[in-house]
Amino acid sequence: YRLFPGEPKWKKNTLTYRVKKYTPSLSHAEVDKAVEMGLKAWSAAAPLNFVKTTSGEADIMISFENGDHGDSYPFDGPRGTLAHAFAPGEGLGGDTHFDNAEKWTMGMNGFNLFTVAAHEFGHALGLAHSADPSALMYPTYKYQHPFGFHLPKDDVKGIQALYGSRLTGSRAPQVPHLPVPKPPAPTIPDHCDSSFSFDAVTMLGKELLFFKDRLFWRRETQLKASVQPLSIRGSFPQLMSNVDAAYEVPNRGVAYFFKGPHYWTTHGFQFLGPPRTIADFGFPRNVLHIDAAVHLKDEKKTLFFVGDEYYSFDEVKRKMENDFPKSIEDEFSGINGRIDAAVEVNGFIYFFSGPKAYKYDREKEDVVHIVKSGSWVGC
Amino acid sequence: APALFALSQTSSWRDFYTAQEYLDKYYTPQEGHHVGEITSGDSMTKKVQQMQAFFGLRVTGKLDYSTMDVIKRPRCGVPDIAN
């Protein structure tokens, strides 16, 4: 890592930031999310806090600019220079500008805003470019996956040289031989608790998987004995925790796992490539994450549940069907409220909403049975 | 003419100007150059070497293929040599 000449740094630990101008290629919410995650990458490694403001001056003013925008560093249109930021200081100090001519995205296509924002905020906090190709502060663009992102070692050393480490809060750099604290073992939620709910449920081969926080349960469709929870990190390291939705397409032997605006494809427990953006499925731009998904084997269609609406995706044509979204309540009588998870077993759809699991009979077009969600894992 | 040393057999004049713009932007201390000052050719070669050293490329001073490949990648607008 390298610092700027004179090692400029902020003399305070709590900094304000404000997005002054947005880009048309992303919604305000998406820009805000990417900026927030970009700043969090640094506050996770150093005693820094960032407070969002919506008016007046802030330490870090963020804007999307075109061409020559008055700071003697004109942008150059698509590609080339993507963004720049100024070292800590008054006025322009800390300010971060993105080239509005770029295709900013939340996924892997175009230029991922989180990736570039996290890099530029390194400059805004006092880091210059690093010659370490694995560093976030390396000058050329390389996609970084926002979820579960951790600063590479080189950048941690750099930011801690300026602000100390978050654990000690002192300027002294962290002594590398300190044992790295292992993440605490996941607390096991009480699946018999009356308020217990799942994050996601899916078939995978001959098994059913139930996800909750950092854990998941796997069981045969015929429940023989009580099942023990496993750590998601142990089997699905890329997923880490808090899966939003999951489903399997058995005749293709692939499964999909959703988290925020991204999804992963697996063959069994084997990941097939890096995460992609859910925009691949053809959701409208305002859909940033999905609540639940269920694959209907005979129809070869997948239903996606978002809020109080649902979409239908044709797995053969790999296309979202027209005339969607539709209201969940209108189409599935007896199912109301947010859907946490859904799965098709033996031709019935099981909807998990909060502590209840509803067995829905499509022929009768009605709920025919209701149980506690936790009963699926032996409660 | 001395600047031609930086031009390797395989690069084109377009590459040369692209590289020159890149090096002016990212490897020229701002206070070092004023409008109208003529840069000596060997300073171009020196900058190429600086950039190759920074990116861990073979330091040849020439705009060879791997150097041009890095020059053409999308990147951050902050100069690599701090000023």
Side-chain angles (χ1 to χ4, degrees):
Chain A
Y1 70 88
R2 286 181 323 126
L3 306 177
F4 287 114
E7 301 188 5
K9 59 172 273 192
W10 295 99
K11 307 284 184 285
K12 53 191 176 177
N13 287 88
T14 298
L15 301 174
T16 56
Y17 72 95
R18 176 181 164 220
V19 181
K20 196 172 76 174
K21 275 194 244 171
Y22 285 81
T23 171
S25 46
L26 286 171
S27 69
H28 284 210
E30 287 171 321
V31 170
D32 289 346
K33 187 72 186 161
V35 164
E36 180 196 340
M37 293 171 86
L39 290 167
K40 202 172 276 182
W42 298 100
S43 59
L48 292 166
N49 306 297
F50 299 101
V51 175
K52 185 173 186 301
T53 63
T54 53
S55 61
E57 226 14 62
D59 298 313
I60 299 176
M61 295 291 279
I62 299 158
S63 58
F64 290 79
E65 305 286 357
N66 291 295
D68 190 350
H69 50 284
D71 62 4
S72 66
Y73 285 95
F75 283 135
D76 55 358
R79 297 181 65 81
T81 303
L82 304 178
H84 54 226
F86 293 86
E90 291 307 314
L92 260 183
D95 287 3
T96 302
H97 304 159
F98 298 90
D99 187 349
N100 214 9
E102 308 300 349
K103 184 174 180 319
W104 296 107
T105 74
M106 300 293 276
M108 298 184 72
N109 54 330
F111 294 105
N112 180 273
L113 181 59
F114 162 75
T115 298
V116 179
H119 172 99
E120 298 306 330
F121 294 148
H123 291 314
L125 293 171
L127 290 183
H129 281 149
S130 164
D132 174 350
S134 69
L136 177 65
M137 293 314 291
Y138 194 67
T140 51
Y141 175 82
K142 187 177 82 176
Y143 171 79
Q144 304 284 347
H145 176 61
F147 287 92
F149 174 79
H150 290 287
L151 272 184
K153 278 197 189 62
D154 182 71
D155 306 287
V156 171
K157 281 185 203 158
I159 199 71
Q160 290 185 351
L162 282 171
Y163 299 100
S165 81
R166 176 160 278 284
L167 287 176
T168 59
S170 70
R171 257 195 66 94
Q174 197 174 3
V175 176
H177 66 282
L178 277 178
V180 174
K182 277 198 182 31
T187 49
I188 296 180
D190 173 7
H191 59 296
C192 293
D193 180 89
S194 60
S195 63
F196 178 81
S197 63
F198 289 113
D199 294 332
V201 177
T202 182
M203 290 294 292
L204 194 67
K206 291 192 172 48
E207 294 181 313
L208 269 165
L209 301 186
F210 299 82
F211 292 85
K212 175 71 177 176
D213 297 342
R214 292 195 275 177
L215 297 172
F216 76 102
W217 290 261
R218 65 190 278 193
R219 47 158 280 191
E220 305 284 330
T221 40
Q222 300 305 316
L223 179 64
K224 295 193 190 75
S226 79
V227 285
Q228 290 311 309
L230 305 166
S231 145
I232 292 177
R233 177 196 277 260
S235 303
F236 300 97
Q238 285 89 329
L239 294 181
M240 298 290 279
S241 63
N242 305 104
V243 176
D244 289 338
Y247 74 94
E248 179 191 42
V249 183
N251 61 343
R252 277 201 276 121
V254 289
Y256 299 94
F257 294 84
F258 295 79
K259 213 175 145 174
H262 292 99
Y263 71 94
W264 286 259
T265 308
T266 74
H267 175 65
F269 285 79
Q270 264 333 114
F271 278 80
L272 302 177
R276 297 183 58 81
T277 167
I278 62 174
D280 287 354
F281 291 87
F283 288 106
R285 286 166 55 129
N286 62 330
V287 173
L288 297 179
H289 78 276
I290 62 171
D291 298 331
V294 56
H295 180 68
L296 307 177
K297 205 168 52 175
D298 298 341
E299 294 88 338
K300 297 190 175 38
K301 301 252 172 68
T302 300
L303 307 184
F304 291 107
F305 300 91
V306 181
D308 56 4
E309 297 175 319
Y310 79 101
Y311 298 78
S312 176
F313 184 78
D314 185 322
E315 290 287 352
V316 174
K317 292 178 187 156
R318 297 296 295 167
K319 206 159 104 20
M320 203 66 93
E321 289 199 297
N322 297 330
D323 306 326
F324 283 87
K326 290 179 181 172
S327 158
I328 295 172
E329 221 172 298
D330 292 348
E331 299 294 323
F332 297 96
S333 83
I335 304 292
N336 37 55
R338 182 178 129 78
I339 309 287
D340 296 320
V343 67
E344 179 189 51
V345 178
N346 303 332
F348 295 97
I349 300 179
Y350 291 87
F351 289 102
F352 294 79
S353 178
K356 294 231 175 57
Y358 303 83
K359 181 178 183 179
Y360 186 82
D361 184 327
R362 280 180 286 167
E363 281 171 22
K364 292 179 181 159
E365 294 192 348
D366 207 349
V367 172
V368 295
H369 192 48
I370 300 176
V371 295
K372 267 189 355 183
S373 294
S375 66
W376 280 82
V377 289
C379 173
Chain B
L4 285 179
F5 173 76
L7 207 58
S8 71
Q9 300 306 317
T10 55
S11 48
S12 62
W13 277 108
R14 171 191 270 191
D15 280 352
F16 179 80
Y17 290 119
T18 303
Q20 198 173 44
E21 191 183 340
Y22 185 94
L23 296 168
D24 280 347
K25 208 172 194 180
Y26 302 117
Y27 286 84
T28 304
Q30 295 306 312
E31 70 278 18
H33 293 279
H34 300 287
V35 171
E37 197 173 326
I38 302 289
T39 308
S40 64
D42 63 353
S43 114
M44 170 99 171
T45 306
K46 227 180 265 146
K47 284 184 215 168
V48 172
Q49 286 168 340
Q50 245 182 328
M51 175 254 177
Q52 286 169 335
F54 184 91
F55 281 99
L57 303 170
R58 246 173 21 95
V59 180
T60 61
K62 283 189 174 298
L63 297 174
D64 48 36
Y65 177 78
S66 52
T67 304
M68 284 312 296
D69 176 57
V70 171
I71 283 176
K72 289 175 181 171
R73 280 187 212 161
R75 56 159 292 156
C76 168
V78 173
D80 294 337
I81 56 164
N83 54 41

